[in-house]
Structure formats: C-alpha cells, structure tokens
Amino acid sequence: MDFDQVLDRLEIAPDPFAVCELKCNCDVGLGQDTGATLHYILSGQGEIVLRDRPALSVSEGSLVLIPAMWHHRMRSSGLSHNPAPACQPAELELRRLLKDAPGGDSGSHIVALCAHLRVGLRGAPDIVDLIRAPLYGHIAEAEGLAPVLQALLKELSAPQPGSRAMIRALLTQCLIDLIRRRSSRDALGAGWMNVLRDPALWPSLRAMLDDPGAAHTVDSLAALSGMSRSSFAERFAAAYRIGPIELLRDLRIKKAGILLREGDLPVKRIAYFVGFSSRTAFTRMFERNTGVSPTDFRKGLGGSAPDGFD
C-alpha cells in the first residue's frame, strides 16, 4: 500500500470522551491505559510529562497521542496551588467551564478533551499498538483546521442529537492530519507507517497483531513474507527501526495488559497465553516495560512511563 492508501483505510474511533480541568498550578497522573490516549487541549497551557523524555509543552489547539501502556502526567502552568482536578463526561461539564471563564486567564488552567483511541485498518483493528512514541502536533500547523477547535467547543458546550458522532469526525480529521504530518517528517513516528506501506512485510505484521502469543520466530515470520531470515530482519528493521522480535515483545505486553485489566485469569496463565515460557520471565519483562508488576498493574497501582525509544 502506498501512503495515501494507508490513510484512506484508517479507521479511527476516539471514545469515550471526558473533559479534564486542571485549575491553577497542579498536575494529575493519567495512569497506564491498555489502549492509546488522545488529549486535545481546548484552553490553557502546561505540559505532558513522560519519563526519560522532555516534557511536551501544550496549549490551546495541541493534539497529543500517547501510546498504550505509557504512564504520563498532565501539568497546568498556573500560578497557585488548587485542589486536584476532576474529569466529567464532556457533554455534561464543558458548558459550565466555558461559562465560568469567558476571556479569563487561559494560562491559569488547562481544559482538555481526553479520549481512549482505537486506530485500525479495515480488517486489522489494532494497528495503534504499533505506535511506539508520542505523536504531537498543533492545530496552527495545519491550514484549514483552525475552525475545528471552535466546532468542537460548540458541539461540547451545546450538545444535541449527533454531537458525539460530530466530535468523533472532528477529532478524526485532526488526527489524520497529525499522522500525515508526523509520518512525513519524523523518522521515529514514521516507522509504523513504513511497515504498513511495505506489502511484503504486511503478512508477518498481521500475524503478530492477530496473535502475539503464538510461537513466532524470525524464521517463521520471514517465511510468511516470502523472504530469507536475514533479508526479512534487515528490511523490517530498516522500515520500523527495531527488529520483529522486539515489536512482538511489546505487542505481548500490551495484550497481557488487556487480559490483566479485563479479566481474572491468574498471572501465570496470562504469561503462557501471551507467549512467555514462565511467569518469572513474563513478570521481569512486564516490569521493565511498564515500571510495575503484573499484579499491581491489575490493581491500578504505581507505575511510571516506560523508557523512551531511540
């Protein structure tokens, strides 16, 4: 597939929505989601803090996509400390927020639209799991997208039948622009797109996405792509900037995170289900990637952002 075909086949679903308000000088830990998280800054300024990476400065119009399993914090640049922020359903809360502070000091707080995000291709629903670094952009970078912010505010502050569908469409428009711009200029951000665009690599990539716990090897994945082991490994690394087994490890951790949060299977069974030979090996790798044990992750405890990727 060429670049245009990849974008044309993207299926993007941000849901559910919440409006997060951070008043004055405060921050909030946003935990580790088993899916990607999208933040769209509606007003104010501050930063999103990640471990081992420079903080991302955000302001009205910023759009930030955080990969799955990344612990992060949103911080306001206010001048005084205030009680902890709270999240409310967007359509219930934003009308009050806009009414309370028309023309106020937007630098004293952040109001952000936050959503869980699913990104797939037709027939392959989980390609968002391929994104290994935050994607960041600003609406001011894209000519013609400036009215999107006002349209979002209108739909959120005066909801009517169809508002949620409209919000999805507006966010999808922004996100496609973000992906297009980042993929065309940023080697790290482009890796997952480059793999999708290479038809020879797609069969092996699809096999890993469909069943990360299977007994995949470089040899078996190379065979799916009709290549020798060395040619496949070299071509995959050139496109994605990591090897196929490293990607497979990350997909297994993400799958394990879903199983831990959404079910009650014992940790040992989850370890085997996602392709680890022992609970010890699984626990060690899970902690390395997430900063927290599988048991604590299931409880929603602790954790820190995973190491940054070079």
Side-chain angles (χ1 to χ4, degrees):
M1 293 182 287
D2 61 28
F3 187 73
D4 185 60
Q5 288 175 313
V6 172
L7 289 175
D8 183 58
R9 294 178 64 186
L10 283 179
E11 295 179 337
I12 301 171
D15 190 73
F17 311 111
V19 167
C20 301
E21 182 184 20
L22 283 70
K23 292 184 177 179
C24 298
N25 185 20
C26 61
D27 65 348
V28 60
L30 297 171
Q32 288 161 293
D33 203 325
T34 54
T37 306
L38 180 70
H39 302 293
Y40 192 84
I41 308 303
L42 300 173
S43 68
Q45 60 186 24
E47 59 186 12
I48 293 179
V49 182
L50 304 158
R51 195 181 78 186
D52 294 338
R53 284 183 176 274
L56 297 174
S57 296
V58 293
S59 59
E60 180 178 321
S62 294
L63 189 70
V64 184
L65 175 60
I66 304 295
M69 307 293 284
W70 279 54
H71 190 285
H72 57 292
R73 303 186 70 83
M74 188 179 295
R75 178 174 296 160
S76 170
S77 60
L79 302 179
S80 61
H81 191 69
N82 222 38
C87 294
Q88 299 288 340
E91 59 266 42
L92 300 180
E93 186 68 7
L94 189 60
R95 184 185 300 132
R96 181 188 64 78
L97 299 179
L98 295 175
K99 186 182 297 184
D100 285 352
D105 180 6
S106 64
S108 67
H109 68 283
I110 288 180
V111 179
L113 176 64
C114 305
H116 301 297
L117 190 71
R118 301 188 305 276
V119 180
L121 290 179
R122 291 168 201 155
D126 298 319
I127 64 165
V128 72
D129 289 342
L130 301 177
I131 300 175
R132 305 183 74 247
L135 295 180
Y136 171 83
H138 197 281
I139 197 169
E141 298 174 348
E143 183 179 356
L145 283 186
V148 172
L149 176 60
Q150 290 304 315
L152 276 170
L153 292 174
K154 179 180 178 181
E155 292 293 338
L156 286 162
S157 60
Q160 54 186 307
S163 284
R164 293 184 70 83
M166 285 294 294
I167 293 167
R168 285 193 191 94
L170 293 165
L171 284 177
T172 297
Q173 182 181 358
C174 292
L175 189 60
I176 287 177
D177 184 82
L178 172 64
I179 291 171
R180 178 170 57 189
R181 290 174 179 276
R182 295 296 292 176
S183 297
S184 64
R185 72 188 184 204
D186 183 283
L188 180 58
W192 65 289
M193 293 289 288
N194 289 336
V195 175
L196 293 176
R197 292 167 64 188
D198 189 332
L201 295 176
W202 178 239
S204 59
L205 188 66
R206 179 64 185 271
M208 287 189 279
L209 286 168
D210 285 347
D211 189 4
H216 300 297
T217 65
V218 177
D219 288 318
S220 67
L221 294 169
L224 289 173
S225 291
M227 303 181 197
S228 69
R229 185 183 194 279
S230 58
S231 295
F232 170 75
E234 182 178 354
R235 189 160 169 176
F236 192 98
Y240 201 64
R241 295 191 63 189
I242 63 168
I245 299 305
E246 292 174 271
L247 172 61
L248 181 62
R249 176 204 67 196
D250 289 348
L251 293 175
R252 286 173 170 173
I253 294 300
K254 290 170 184 175
K255 179 66 173 180
I258 293 172
L259 293 172
L260 287 165
R261 286 280 172 85
E262 298 182 359
D264 57 2
L265 284 174
V267 173
K268 185 175 182 179
R269 287 194 63 189
I270 291 175
Y272 286 122
F273 188 81
V274 299
F276 287 84
S277 59
S278 70
R279 173 172 175 162
T280 300
F282 166 67
T283 298
R284 186 183 306 116
M285 185 60 67
F286 194 92
E287 289 182 349
R288 176 181 170 185
N289 273 40
T290 67
V292 66
S293 72
T295 300
D296 284 346
F297 181 85
R298 168 170 272 167
K299 297 175 181 177
L301 302 176
S304 58
D307 292 335
F309 299 108
D310 296 327

mmCIF file of all heavy atoms in Angstrom, residues 45 74 100 122 135 139 166 174 188 222 250 273 295 307:
data_model
loop_
_atom_site.group_PDB
_atom_site.id
_atom_site.type_symbol
_atom_site.label_atom_id
_atom_site.label_comp_id
_atom_site.label_asym_id
_atom_site.label_seq_id
_atom_site.Cartn_x
_atom_site.Cartn_y
_atom_site.Cartn_z
ATOM 1 N N GLN A 45 -2.638 26.315 29.174
ATOM 2 C CA GLN A 45 -1.317 25.861 28.759
ATOM 3 C C GLN A 45 -0.652 25.124 29.907
ATOM 4 O O GLN A 45 -0.998 25.284 31.069
ATOM 5 C CB GLN A 45 -0.450 27.039 28.307
ATOM 6 C CG GLN A 45 -0.227 28.094 29.387
ATOM 7 C CD GLN A 45 0.516 29.301 28.852
ATOM 8 O OE1 GLN A 45 0.489 29.574 27.647
ATOM 9 N NE2 GLN A 45 1.185 30.018 29.727
ATOM 10 N N MET A 74 -0.374 15.128 33.222
ATOM 11 C CA MET A 74 -0.676 16.429 32.631
ATOM 12 C C MET A 74 -0.524 17.489 33.714
ATOM 13 O O MET A 74 -1.024 17.326 34.823
ATOM 14 C CB MET A 74 -2.089 16.452 32.051
ATOM 15 C CG MET A 74 -2.390 17.724 31.261
ATOM 16 S SD MET A 74 -4.077 17.712 30.553
ATOM 17 C CE MET A 74 -3.944 16.335 29.405
ATOM 18 N N ASP A 100 -17.960 29.801 33.011
ATOM 19 C CA ASP A 100 -17.283 30.330 34.185
ATOM 20 C C ASP A 100 -16.079 31.187 33.850
ATOM 21 O O ASP A 100 -15.677 32.035 34.640
ATOM 22 C CB ASP A 100 -16.812 29.171 35.080
ATOM 23 C CG ASP A 100 -17.983 28.554 35.824
ATOM 24 O OD1 ASP A 100 -19.090 29.123 35.755
ATOM 25 O OD2 ASP A 100 -17.784 27.505 36.463
ATOM 26 N N ARG A 122 -8.939 -1.260 7.808
ATOM 27 C CA ARG A 122 -10.073 -2.136 7.542
ATOM 28 C C ARG A 122 -9.605 -3.585 7.611
ATOM 29 O O ARG A 122 -8.731 -4.004 6.859
ATOM 30 C CB ARG A 122 -10.661 -1.829 6.171
ATOM 31 C CG ARG A 122 -11.346 -0.466 6.116
ATOM 32 C CD ARG A 122 -11.675 -0.035 4.707
ATOM 33 N NE ARG A 122 -11.862 1.416 4.649
ATOM 34 C CZ ARG A 122 -11.689 2.133 3.552
ATOM 35 N NH1 ARG A 122 -11.328 1.550 2.429
ATOM 36 N NH2 ARG A 122 -11.874 3.440 3.576
ATOM 37 N N LEU A 135 2.815 11.011 19.550
ATOM 38 C CA LEU A 135 2.639 11.865 18.383
ATOM 39 C C LEU A 135 2.090 13.198 18.871
ATOM 40 O O LEU A 135 1.122 13.238 19.639
ATOM 41 C CB LEU A 135 1.670 11.234 17.385
ATOM 42 C CG LEU A 135 2.106 9.924 16.721
ATOM 43 C CD1 LEU A 135 1.024 9.443 15.756
ATOM 44 C CD2 LEU A 135 3.424 10.089 15.996
ATOM 45 N N ILE A 139 -2.893 22.516 16.065
ATOM 46 C CA ILE A 139 -3.843 22.855 15.018
ATOM 47 C C ILE A 139 -3.356 24.019 14.163
ATOM 48 O O ILE A 139 -3.698 24.122 12.981
ATOM 49 C CB ILE A 139 -5.225 23.162 15.646
ATOM 50 C CG1 ILE A 139 -6.315 23.096 14.588
ATOM 51 C CG2 ILE A 139 -5.220 24.491 16.369
ATOM 52 C CD1 ILE A 139 -7.703 23.130 15.165
ATOM 53 N N MET A 166 -20.333 13.866 15.640
ATOM 54 C CA MET A 166 -19.637 15.031 15.108
ATOM 55 C C MET A 166 -18.273 15.195 15.765
ATOM 56 O O MET A 166 -17.279 15.503 15.098
ATOM 57 C CB MET A 166 -20.479 16.289 15.328
ATOM 58 C CG MET A 166 -21.660 16.414 14.383
ATOM 59 S SD MET A 166 -21.136 16.648 12.662
ATOM 60 C CE MET A 166 -20.355 18.260 12.768
ATOM 61 N N CYS A 174 -8.523 15.893 12.708
ATOM 62 C CA CYS A 174 -7.288 16.392 13.310
ATOM 63 C C CYS A 174 -6.224 15.296 13.401
ATOM 64 O O CYS A 174 -5.038 15.533 13.137
ATOM 65 C CB CYS A 174 -7.565 16.949 14.702
ATOM 66 S SG CYS A 174 -8.559 18.434 14.727
ATOM 67 N N LEU A 188 11.079 8.454 13.538
ATOM 68 C CA LEU A 188 10.555 7.572 14.581
ATOM 69 C C LEU A 188 9.047 7.422 14.447
ATOM 70 O O LEU A 188 8.504 6.324 14.514
ATOM 71 C CB LEU A 188 10.915 8.125 15.962
ATOM 72 C CG LEU A 188 10.426 7.310 17.166
ATOM 73 C CD1 LEU A 188 10.974 5.894 17.103
ATOM 74 C CD2 LEU A 188 10.844 7.982 18.468
ATOM 75 N N ALA A 222 9.636 -14.535 8.581
ATOM 76 C CA ALA A 222 10.260 -14.349 7.272
ATOM 77 C C ALA A 222 9.574 -15.205 6.217
ATOM 78 O O ALA A 222 9.353 -14.767 5.080
ATOM 79 C CB ALA A 222 11.740 -14.684 7.352
ATOM 80 N N ASP A 250 6.689 -6.158 22.618
ATOM 81 C CA ASP A 250 5.817 -5.054 23.012
ATOM 82 C C ASP A 250 4.342 -5.406 22.819
ATOM 83 O O ASP A 250 3.496 -5.069 23.654
ATOM 84 C CB ASP A 250 6.157 -3.801 22.199
ATOM 85 C CG ASP A 250 7.489 -3.191 22.588
ATOM 86 O OD1 ASP A 250 8.038 -3.590 23.629
ATOM 87 O OD2 ASP A 250 7.983 -2.323 21.846
ATOM 88 N N PHE A 273 -0.233 -17.517 27.923
ATOM 89 C CA PHE A 273 -1.142 -17.162 26.846
ATOM 90 C C PHE A 273 -0.506 -16.164 25.883
ATOM 91 O O PHE A 273 -0.760 -16.208 24.675
ATOM 92 C CB PHE A 273 -2.434 -16.586 27.428
ATOM 93 C CG PHE A 273 -3.511 -16.356 26.417
ATOM 94 C CD1 PHE A 273 -4.313 -17.400 25.981
ATOM 95 C CD2 PHE A 273 -3.737 -15.089 25.898
ATOM 96 C CE1 PHE A 273 -5.304 -17.191 25.035
ATOM 97 C CE2 PHE A 273 -4.725 -14.872 24.955
ATOM 98 C CZ PHE A 273 -5.519 -15.929 24.523
ATOM 99 N N THR A 295 0.696 -7.863 38.916
ATOM 100 C CA THR A 295 -0.315 -7.823 39.973
ATOM 101 C C THR A 295 -0.706 -6.399 40.308
ATOM 102 O O THR A 295 -1.896 -6.070 40.435
ATOM 103 C CB THR A 295 0.209 -8.532 41.233
ATOM 104 O OG1 THR A 295 0.513 -9.894 40.914
ATOM 105 C CG2 THR A 295 -0.835 -8.501 42.330
ATOM 106 N N ASP A 307 10.619 3.355 29.366
ATOM 107 C CA ASP A 307 11.781 4.028 28.815
ATOM 108 C C ASP A 307 11.471 4.578 27.446
ATOM 109 O O ASP A 307 10.759 3.965 26.654
ATOM 110 C CB ASP A 307 12.970 3.045 28.706
ATOM 111 C CG ASP A 307 13.470 2.633 30.085
ATOM 112 O OD1 ASP A 307 13.266 3.417 31.038
ATOM 113 O OD2 ASP A 307 14.051 1.546 30.192
#
